[in-house]
Amino acid sequence: MRDIVVIGAGGHAAVVADAIRCGRDTVVAFADADPAKIGWSLQGASIVDEARIGASFDRDTYLLANGIGGVRDTTLRRRVQEQLEHDGWRFATIRHPAAIVSDHATIVDGAQVLAGCIVQAGAHIGRGAIVNTGAIVEHDCTIGEWTHLAPAATVCGDVTIGAGSIVGARAVVIQGIRIGAETLIGAGAVVVRNFEGGGTLYGVPARPIRTKA
Ligand SMILES: CC(C)(COP(=O)(O)OP(=O)(O)OC[C@H]1O[C@@H](n2cnc3c(N)ncnc32)[C@H](O)[C@@H]1OP(=O)(O)O)[C@@H](O)C(=O)NCCC(=O)NCCS
């Protein structure tokens, strides 16, 4: 059984904490940087100051879980975890017991596969990535580091999605597509063409609305 401190005390943190408890591990506390939350509690666990977790918890005994979500941007989630890892903390891989994960899929350390998602054979889920509630990752997909597949997103077979991207709720990426890094795909979009990355796509079929300068 693992004792885990969840970083963040918002909506994604609460979902991650549920997944931890369903897996029979223990959430010992939440840690947040927002002074308005520190000293309060969430789901019966106290919210401590993220800047002072080293004073409360021993990094050789406790693991961390990344409870920072990423609806438009995954940068904060990545930056906070990388800083804490640099400080010597280890992040737990979170796997909800109601996630269906092939024995032939790879879930890299620190990734999160949440309730009701399905990850099929040959799929690779990168470091710090989120496969959120009910998302589907079909066979032989590669999901980049820190990328967030939002609830009910469907990534069909042999798709590659670059690092730091977001696939919106109920969006579909059809088979064989290549999506570059830092792409934001709108909710409900259907992606039928490759996209080099660094912009936003939405609609059916999905078209770019914005690209980085
Ligand atoms: C695509 C998205 C990033 C656009 O956000 P935005 O840049 O703030 O765009 P706006 O909300 O200003 O909308 C701009 C236009 O696009 C339309 N639009 C926005 N999102 C859309 C979507 N997903 N599909 C189709 N049209 C969309 C709006 O209706 C608006 O149209 P209008 O100009 O005719 O009024 C966002 O709407 C989205 O879908 N994000 C993903 C949300 C999600 O899946 N969250 C999961 C949380 S776990």
Side-chain angles (χ1 to χ4, degrees):
M1 204 168 85
R2 304 177 297 178
D3 289 326
I4 299 176
V5 178
V6 178
I7 302 300
H12 186 65
V15 169
V16 167
D18 266 346
I20 291 168
R21 293 196 192 92
C22 288
R24 305 276 174 244
D25 293 320
T26 302
V27 175
V28 293
F30 295 86
D32 203 285
D34 180 356
K37 291 183 180 174
I38 296 163
W40 292 83
S41 66
L42 178 63
Q43 299 178 338
S46 54
I47 303 172
V48 302
D49 184 354
E50 185 194 303
R52 295 178 41 79
I53 49 170
S56 309
F57 300 99
D58 169 15
R59 63 199 79 191
D60 293 327
T61 306
Y62 295 91
L63 293 170
L64 303 183
N66 196 333
I68 302 168
V71 172
R72 294 195 70 103
D73 187 339
T74 63
T75 309
L76 179 65
R77 172 180 175 75
R78 185 184 74 228
R79 187 162 48 77
V80 169
Q81 182 166 334
E82 286 180 342
Q83 180 60 55
L84 287 162
E85 286 174 338
H86 179 264
D87 294 344
W89 294 94
R90 291 168 299 136
F91 276 75
T93 301
I94 306 300
R95 183 167 160 173
H96 194 290
I100 299 172
V101 180
S102 166
D103 289 343
H104 305 286
T106 306
I107 311 295
V108 174
D109 288 351
Q112 300 175 344
V113 289
L114 298 176
C117 77
I118 302 175
V119 180
Q120 291 286 22
H124 176 98
I125 309 298
R127 184 168 93 94
I130 306 170
V131 184
N132 217 326
T133 314
I136 295 174
V137 182
E138 263 301 336
H139 63 87
D140 302 309
C141 287
T142 300
I143 307 301
E145 294 187 349
W146 310 107
T147 284
H148 176 191
L149 308 182
T154 298
V155 182
C156 299
D158 195 28
V159 164
T160 297
I161 300 182
S165 295
I166 295 167
V167 181
R170 212 166 274 289
V172 174
V173 183
I174 70 163
Q175 71 284 350
I177 292 292
R178 301 288 180 261
I179 304 275
E182 295 178 29
T183 302
L184 172 54
I185 298 173
V190 178
V191 182
V192 300
R193 298 271 182 270
N194 294 344
F195 183 69
E196 66 178 12
T200 301
L201 301 171
Y202 71 50
V204 181
R207 300 192 193 285
I209 55 169
R210 187 178 306 131
T211 48
K212 275 190 177 163

